[in-house]
């Protein structure tokens, strides 16, 4: 009938949207343990869509060891308290490289208020994870170079509040860790009596 056609069309649109966004959906019946997956979940986990979704116990084999405890603890807490979760899980690949997913879950309550299921999404975030790691590596490299320099280096925001500095500058300020300066201004430094002069110089640089 027309209604069934519309439902099928809506379902196909949702499946296509998940494919484009690389976000799949899943549903876990907490009473029976039955798990259902959308088509995109099968693609993310490189699993034959003709096979049934793996049980919770079978799902362990798809995760890296360090992600198994995190996932099952999150699911157990969600089933117990109804607390939603967002976690990152590592998926080992035959190639030796890992894929990463962001998994979200929330409780589904019945008419009597009890938790009857958990539903959620899984999104492939491998590209985002690798980019984040590369950015962190670059940051560590830059910090290493700055801290090896004998000259004093600092940076501030437009309100002349310190955003960071290198080790040499922190040492002159009386701190062992450059992070101690973050959020402070010159009036909170050992040179507070000259703060107005230094800030005037910095403001001139910003303005020009």
């Amino acid at each position: 009938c027309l209604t069934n056609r519309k439902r099928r069309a809506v379902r196909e649109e949702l499946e296509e949207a998940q494919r484009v966004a690389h976000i799949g959906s899943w549903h876990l019946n907490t009473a029976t343990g039955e798990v259902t997956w959308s088509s995109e979940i099968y693609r993310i986990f490189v699993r034959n869509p003709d096979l049934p979704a793996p049980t919770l116990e079978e799902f362990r084999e798809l995760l890296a060891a360090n992600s198994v405890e995190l996932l099952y603890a999150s699911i157990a807490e969600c089933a117990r308290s109804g607390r939603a979760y967002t976690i990152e899980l590592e998926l080992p690949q035959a190639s030796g490289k890992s894929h990463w997913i962001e998994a979200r879950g929330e409780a589904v309550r019945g008419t009597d208020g009890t938790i009857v299921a958990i539903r959620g999404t899984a999104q492939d975030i491998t590209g985002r994870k690798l980019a984040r790691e590369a950015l962190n590596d670059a940051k560590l490299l830059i910090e290493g170079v700055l801290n090896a320099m004998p000259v004093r280096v600092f940076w501030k925001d437009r309100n002349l509040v310190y955003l960071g500095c290198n080790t040499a500058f922190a040492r002159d300020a009386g701190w062992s860790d450059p992070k101690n300066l973050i959020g402070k201004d010159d009036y909170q430094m050992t040179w507070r009596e000259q703060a107005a002069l230094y800030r005037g110089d910095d403001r001139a640089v910003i303005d020009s």
Side-chain angles (χ1 to χ4, degrees), residues 185-200:
D185 60 32
D186 291 294
Y187 292 108
Q188 296 169 282
M189 300 298 171
T190 55
W191 53 81
R192 61 181 59 88
E193 293 182 0
Q194 289 82 38
L197 175 63
Y198 293 154
R199 287 167 63 87

Side-chain angles (χ1 to χ4, degrees), residues 122-191:
Q123 179 178 19
D124 188 336
I125 59 167
T126 303
R128 185 200 311 172
K129 187 83 172 179
L130 294 176
R132 188 189 309 160
E133 291 176 354
L135 181 61
N136 187 59
D137 289 344
K139 179 181 177 183
L140 291 175
L141 175 62
I142 292 172
E143 288 180 352
V145 171
L146 289 174
N147 288 329
M149 296 173 63
V151 297
R152 280 64 175 160
V153 182
F154 68 88
W155 48 101
K156 298 178 177 180
D157 64 18
R158 293 186 64 85
N159 295 317
L160 304 181
V161 174
Y162 284 98
L163 297 175
C165 67
N166 67 349
T167 301
F169 189 90
R171 192 182 304 118
D172 282 354
W175 302 97
S176 59
D177 188 344
K179 293 180 181 177
N180 291 328
L181 275 77
I182 297 175
K184 294 180 172 61
D185 60 32
D186 291 294
Y187 292 108
Q188 296 169 282
M189 300 298 171
T190 55
W191 53 81

Side-chain angles (χ1 to χ4, degrees), residues 101-119:
I101 65 169
E102 180 181 85
R104 296 172 180 261
E106 66 176 14
V108 179
R109 298 183 183 274
T111 54
D112 60 354
T114 59
I115 296 173
V116 296
I118 299 174
R119 65 188 172 201

Side-chain angles (χ1 to χ4, degrees), residues 20-93:
V20 171
H22 300 297
I23 301 176
S25 59
W26 54 269
H27 184 278
L28 165 67
N29 185 311
T30 54
T32 65
E34 181 184 5
V35 179
T36 55
W37 280 5
S38 70
S39 298
E40 185 59 23
I41 293 279
Y42 280 94
R43 281 189 283 269
I44 290 174
F45 286 95
V46 195
R47 191 175 176 89
N48 186 343
D50 294 329
L51 296 175
T55 64
L56 272 180
E57 192 59 34
E58 293 171 338
F59 192 65
R60 291 176 178 269
E61 303 301 320
L62 303 180
L63 298 176
N66 59 340
S67 293
V68 172
E69 183 177 351
L70 174 60
L71 174 63
Y72 285 80
S74 300
I75 289 177
E77 176 61 21
C78 185
R80 184 188 68 81
S81 67
R83 185 178 303 162
Y85 63 85
T86 300
I87 55 179
E88 292 184 0
L89 303 174
E90 183 180 4
L91 314 179
Q93 302 292 307

